[in-house]
Amino acid sequence: MKEVALLYDADYFLGRSQNLYNYLTSIYRDLHQFPELSFQEKRTSSKVAEELKKMGIEVKEKIGGYGVIGNLKGAKEKPLIALRADMDALPIHEETNLPFSSQHRGIMHACGHDAHTAILLGTAQILSEIKDQLSSSVRFIFQPAEEVNEGAKAMISEGVVDEVDEIYGLHNLPILETGKVAVKSGAMMGSVDKIEISVIGNGGHGAIPDMSIDPIVASSAIIQGIQSIVSREISPFEPVVITIGSIHGGSSYNVIPNEVKIEGTVRTLNLQTQRKIEGRLRELIENVAKSYRCSVKIKHINMVPPLVNWEDNVDCVKKAASQIVGENNCMEAQPVLAGEDFSLYLQRKPGAFFWLGCKPKKEEEVFGLHHPKYRIDESCIPLGSAILAMLVYMRISEIL
Ligand code: NI
């Protein structure tokens, strides 16, 4: 870090974010009440665009679906620093009983993307107020469809990060105390693959199996066999999960069906391992099916790669966050195999993704992400805004 006197310091960004508390929580509660599923974020995105325009930020809409970008011009075009928030909700029926619970039946912001959106609007507001002092430019990326792993891909294909020099994002974490941040360099979140298998036999009477080819018995052998890839072919020091989450076949106790459909997911922290498993899954499934006289159709979809943080940018996050929450509150993150399509930006551009604590104060209100009773401590919102504003300001002032 250079020894340069900052025109704006942590107290300034914290103070501004606290002044925005009511504005930010009202945005958050509004979005929470009207959640929208992936690629349907129409209301959310127009709200975001409207707020950015009020701040005097140049706005582009309908990018990669309902994606929005805001460009805040500093003295120079480059370096261009991007910040990203996701906006979509989940097909979950909310059970929080909050006064601002979801008004959209069966849809819930159970991953806190409403908070991410409010946080980034807060950062945009804070930085727009000091735009004359910004030596280069900032891009705010409001992304649709993170939950289906499609939104980042769609926005990237429209060139939103082509000009970007580095990119940062965050995710709330309801098991981490509010006021804490967790980050690590290298792989922090898992790759996501989806596998769809059709095991095809030849149906018939359940009492005359010798006249049939039974895809149910073959499927059970396939599902058992798959786990041996994890236990026998991958180093025990390498985190890998293969989960079969769905199996459908047959409609009666005494009929052998023609076909069984199986779906599952593969998670790793390493691109080579991801590829290796993909190849071995195909071999194992085809050969086991064949040994049971069945044929198979396999569709293996690489949804997102592992999320791998860039070391230098993680350093920047740690330094900026330390200014806001204190060095002792910046923790080393434990990797998880949940996926996050921010990984696609990090494959193209340097940057970092971090966890922001949002643990509710009452223990009985703590539920994990994607839980119907999930909720956040709203005071994480201005803190998130302040951290991102501090990070960008320090980066473009070349202090980090
Ligand atoms: Ni999420």
Side-chain angles (χ1 to χ4, degrees):
M1 204 188 292
K2 276 196 224 165
E3 287 302 317
V4 180
L6 283 168
L7 195 49
Y8 300 102
D9 58 7
D11 286 342
Y12 174 81
F13 291 114
L14 262 174
R16 275 309 291 133
S17 68
Q18 288 308 317
N19 292 341
L20 291 170
Y21 195 101
N22 289 341
Y23 165 72
L24 295 176
T25 49
S26 77
I27 296 242
Y28 161 71
R29 291 178 176 206
D30 175 78
L31 298 178
H32 192 86
Q33 256 188 309
F34 301 103
E36 294 169 304
L37 291 174
S38 307
F39 286 127
Q40 297 172 27
E41 307 88 344
K42 192 175 177 189
R43 181 185 180 278
T44 310
S45 62
S46 22
K47 176 109 186 151
V48 165
E50 187 187 311
E51 295 302 319
L52 290 172
K53 283 174 195 161
K54 278 191 224 160
M55 299 168 197
I57 292 175
E58 177 202 291
V59 176
K60 287 185 185 151
E61 293 175 72
K62 300 218 171 97
I63 303 174
Y66 285 110
V68 178
I69 62 169
N71 289 315
L72 181 62
K73 299 251 158 60
K76 291 178 293 171
E77 290 277 321
K78 302 274 272 179
L80 175 60
I81 314 276
L83 301 172
R84 172 276 211 172
D86 41 11
M87 303 187 287
D88 56 330
L90 286 158
I92 292 175
H93 184 75
E94 179 160 356
E95 294 173 16
T96 60
N97 287 325
L98 286 165
F100 53 90
S101 282
S102 172
Q103 301 284 309
H104 290 166
R105 217 179 153 68
I107 305 177
M108 177 189 176
H109 267 299
C111 203
H113 298 184
D114 44 0
H116 303 164
T117 303
I119 286 169
L120 194 53
L121 283 172
T123 307
Q125 174 65 39
I126 294 168
L127 292 175
S128 69
E129 291 166 4
I130 58 167
K131 67 167 181 255
D132 296 339
Q133 313 299 329
L134 296 179
S135 55
S136 75
S137 302
V138 191
R139 175 166 296 169
F140 305 97
I141 299 176
F142 292 88
Q143 184 204 299
E146 193 283 325
E147 295 293 357
V148 293
N149 299 305
E150 297 282 345
K153 202 187 288 173
M155 288 196 89
I156 288 167
S157 70
E158 296 211 31
V160 298
V161 291
D162 289 357
E163 309 298 317
V164 165
D165 293 288
E166 52 194 69
I167 183 160
Y168 298 91
L170 61 77
H171 203 292
N172 74 93
L173 190 59
I175 52 168
L176 183 67
E177 282 81 11
T178 311
K180 290 189 174 171
V181 161
V183 67
K184 75 179 285 297
S185 67
M188 190 173 85
M189 297 182 74
S191 60
V192 181
D193 284 6
K194 183 182 181 192
I195 181 158
E196 300 170 1
I197 312 161
S198 298
V199 184
I200 302 144
N202 186 17
H205 200 296
I208 318 171
D210 48 307
M211 298 292 285
S212 303
I213 297 173
D214 187 347
I216 288 191
V217 174
S219 296
S220 65
I222 287 169
I223 292 167
Q224 294 287 337
I226 280 172
Q227 293 304 331
S228 71
I229 298 177
V230 181
S231 67
R232 303 292 83 189
E233 298 185 40
I234 306 289
S235 159
F237 299 100
E238 181 95 32
V240 171
V241 165
I242 305 178
T243 290
I244 297 299
S246 155
I247 169 162
H248 291 281
S251 54
S252 175
Y253 82 102
N254 59 356
V255 177
I256 293 168
N258 275 320
E259 189 177 356
V260 173
K261 287 190 182 292
I262 303 167
E263 285 188 354
T265 186
V266 181
R267 310 296 175 106
T268 73
L269 287 180
N270 179 314
L271 213 52
Q272 279 75 41
T273 309
Q274 183 191 16
R275 297 282 181 262
K276 177 179 172 181
I277 292 172
E278 180 175 349
R280 281 295 295 137
L281 268 176
R282 188 171 287 280
E283 276 174 14
L284 187 142
I285 294 165
E286 281 172 356
N287 285 304
V288 173
K290 202 171 160 192
S291 71
Y292 284 80
R293 299 177 297 140
C294 288
S295 60
V296 275
K297 285 187 199 141
I298 303 166
K299 198 169 162 194
H300 194 113
I301 306 155
N302 302 127
M303 294 180 119
V304 296
L307 183 140
V308 183
N309 274 332
W310 295 54
E311 196 175 344
D312 289 352
N313 304 89
V314 166
D315 253 19
C316 297
V317 167
K318 282 182 182 164
K319 284 174 183 158
S322 295
Q323 299 264 327
I324 301 292
V325 297
E327 212 171 317
N328 293 341
N329 289 319
C330 287
M331 345 275 293
E332 180 76 4
Q334 294 294 321
V336 289
L337 289 179
E340 162 60 66
D341 74 1
F342 193 82
S343 59
L344 290 164
Y345 301 108
L346 293 179
Q347 265 192 334
R348 286 157 181 83
K349 300 288 170 174
F353 192 73
F354 62 94
W355 297 107
L356 178 73
C358 68
K359 188 176 178 179
K361 289 185 183 65
K362 294 181 190 159
E363 204 58 48
E364 65 270 24
E365 292 179 352
V366 179
F367 294 93
L369 297 165
H370 295 205
H371 192 283
K373 291 184 178 168
Y374 155 86
R375 64 167 79 186
I376 62 162
D377 172 357
E378 289 175 341
S379 60
C380 77
I381 296 172
L383 266 184
S385 301
I387 292 169
L388 291 177
M390 185 89 220
L391 172 63
V392 168
Y393 179 67
M394 289 176 87
R395 270 315 269 159
I396 66 181
S397 308
E398 291 177 18
I399 290 156
L400 287 178

